């Protein structure tokens, strides 16, 4: 690999190391905070290292514009290096501070740096060991939710959804994502989504979040939660069908109050389950999705079987 030349504006004039926290002196020269503080306070110098002018005012002013620019450029370089899977896995396993830094960039970085932060996170988590739990801070999930809400671009939104899916098999992360407001946002985005892959990813994320009681409660508290999940089944793809049925299965098995069961009838979710049995009996007889739909209908047969809300042609599909 060719050696990468570090742009001069990355470097502190004193140490020639990459600046982490650029600050500007009263002389107008920018340094890395750690280096200039050591020069002025630890080494008792009173001049600007570059201009040699006496520093009358030792206040260090954060150079926010340069910091964001450096972050954006550095992330661009890192992302475009196209590190190997083993290299990315090593970064993830041995440098939790990197994730915290990327979280900070997502929070306060420029447009470009937020984009590169998400894309780089996606690359790292795609190669993460699925058997190794990854515990993340609450602010990580708040930033993912904010980026999804901002709708920067379809590519960035899909990358953000993939990150969310990769980190939510673990219950602690699921709860943090729910507390960050992921469930109602995903439902709102799903309501407006006409993109097949985006809809699949949103349903996959919702399925993971509905594995915890907090996630199911959030979905049921949303006026369109059950309705949009039911609507997407048989309208998007087999992947979406699987996730949608899994969500309804979690609700039916663990959160099925009389009110919830009645709502599922009224919005057509029960009829949709009967239709799934009818359609998949023809096109995918051994489908696990079909078997989950059958299990849901059997589970609440007493409440649903004789309901007038199920269209007569679909009653024949109701499992005995």
């Amino acid at each position: 690999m060719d050696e990468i030349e570090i742009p001069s504006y990355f470097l502190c004039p004193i140490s020639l190391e990459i600046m982490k926290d650029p600050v500007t002196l009263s002389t107008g020269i920018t340094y890395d905070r750690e280096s200039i503080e050591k020069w002025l306070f630890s080494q008792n110098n009173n001049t600007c290292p570059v201009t040699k002018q006496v520093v009358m005012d030792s206040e260090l002013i954060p150079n926010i514009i340069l910091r964001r620019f450096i972050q954006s450029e550095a992330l661009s370089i890192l992302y475009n290096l196209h590190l190997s899977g083993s290299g990315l896995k090593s970064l993830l396993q041995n440098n939790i501070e990197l994730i915290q830094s990327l979280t900070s960039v997502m929070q306060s970085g420029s447009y470009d740096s937020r984009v590169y932060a998400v894309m780089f996170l996606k690359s790292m988590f795609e190669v993460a060991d699925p058997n190794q739990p990854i515990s993340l801070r609450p602010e990580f999930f708040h930033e993912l939710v904010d980026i999804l809400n901002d709708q920067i671009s379809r590519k960035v939104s899909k990358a953000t959804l993939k990150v969310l899916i990769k980190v939510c098999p673990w219950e602690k992360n699921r709860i943090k994502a729910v507390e960050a407001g992921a469930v109602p946002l995903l439902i709102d985005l799903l309501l407006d989504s006409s993109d097949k892959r985006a809809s699949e990813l949103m349903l996959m994320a919702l399925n993971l979040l509905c594995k915890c009681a907090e996630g199911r409660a959030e979905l049921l508290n949303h006026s369109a939660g059950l309705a949009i999940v039911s609507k997407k089944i048989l309208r998007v793809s087999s992947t979406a069908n699987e996730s949608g049925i899994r969500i309804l299965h979690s609700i039916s098995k663990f959160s099925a109050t009389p009110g919830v069961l009645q709502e599922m009838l009224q919005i057509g979710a029960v009829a949709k389950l009967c239709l799934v049995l009818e359609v998949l009996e023809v096109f995918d007889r051994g489908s696990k999705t079909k078997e989950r739909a059958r299990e849901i209908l059997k589970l609440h047969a007493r409440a649903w079987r004789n309901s007038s809300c199920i269209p007569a042609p679909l009653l024949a599909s109701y499992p005995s």
Side-chain angles (χ1 to χ4, degrees), residues 303-318:
W304 291 338
R305 184 189 299 275
N306 299 319
S307 173
S308 60
C309 294
I310 304 178
L314 294 180
L315 282 175
S317 300
Y318 206 106

Side-chain angles (χ1 to χ4, degrees), residues 71-235:
Q71 286 175 341
S72 177
E73 288 292 301
L75 282 169
S76 172
I77 292 171
L78 188 60
Y79 176 69
N80 287 298
L81 281 175
H82 300 297
L83 297 176
S84 66
S86 59
L88 289 167
K89 186 178 292 187
S90 177
L91 278 177
L92 182 61
Q93 290 176 343
N94 301 322
N95 198 349
I96 295 300
E97 289 184 1
L98 175 59
I99 296 179
Q100 294 171 2
S101 297
L102 291 171
T103 301
S104 178
V105 171
M106 290 192 292
Q107 183 177 33
S108 59
S110 65
Y111 172 94
D112 287 339
S113 60
R114 294 176 80 204
V115 168
Y116 282 118
V118 170
M119 301 305 292
F120 192 68
L121 282 167
K122 178 183 78 72
S123 297
M124 284 200 301
F125 284 121
E126 281 178 341
V127 299
D129 184 350
N131 297 317
Q132 180 181 359
I134 302 173
S135 182
L136 298 163
R137 294 183 176 182
E139 53 265 31
F140 177 87
F141 296 96
H142 282 284
E143 298 316 317
L144 290 184
V145 168
D146 283 347
I147 288 176
L148 276 177
N149 189 51
D150 290 346
Q151 292 288 283
I152 295 173
S153 71
R154 289 188 177 185
K155 182 177 181 180
V156 172
S157 293
K158 289 176 184 176
T160 307
L161 287 166
K162 289 177 181 178
V163 172
L164 187 62
I165 290 166
K166 286 293 184 179
V167 300
C168 280
W170 298 285
E171 185 174 5
K172 289 183 179 179
N173 288 342
R174 285 199 291 264
I175 293 173
K176 291 171 188 174
V178 171
E179 291 174 345
V183 173
L185 176 60
L186 287 169
I187 294 169
D188 290 342
L189 294 175
L190 196 56
L191 284 166
D192 296 328
S193 176
S194 58
D195 184 294
K196 173 184 173 181
R197 185 54 180 158
S199 295
E200 289 177 343
L201 292 170
M202 291 173 201
L203 286 166
M204 289 168 69
L206 280 173
N207 171 46
L208 287 169
L209 298 179
C210 283
K211 290 181 181 295
C212 66
E214 294 85 351
R216 294 191 295 274
E218 286 291 303
L219 183 131
L220 293 173
N221 285 338
H222 196 295
S223 60
L226 281 174
I228 189 59
V229 170
S230 175
K231 181 179 179 180
K232 292 295 181 180
I233 295 171
L234 296 181
R235 291 194 177 192

Side-chain angles (χ1 to χ4, degrees), residues 253-272:
K253 192 170 183 179
F254 302 111
S255 305
T257 65
V260 168
L261 296 180
Q262 185 61 31
E263 182 182 356
M264 291 180 72
L265 270 176
Q266 292 174 344
I267 64 173
V270 181
K272 179 64 70 75

Side-chain angles (χ1 to χ4, degrees), residues 269-279 297 310 314 317-318:
V270 181
K272 179 64 70 75
L273 290 167
C274 291
L275 187 58
V276 166
L277 293 187
E278 192 174 71
V279 170
L297 290 168
I310 304 178
L314 294 180
S317 300
Y318 206 106

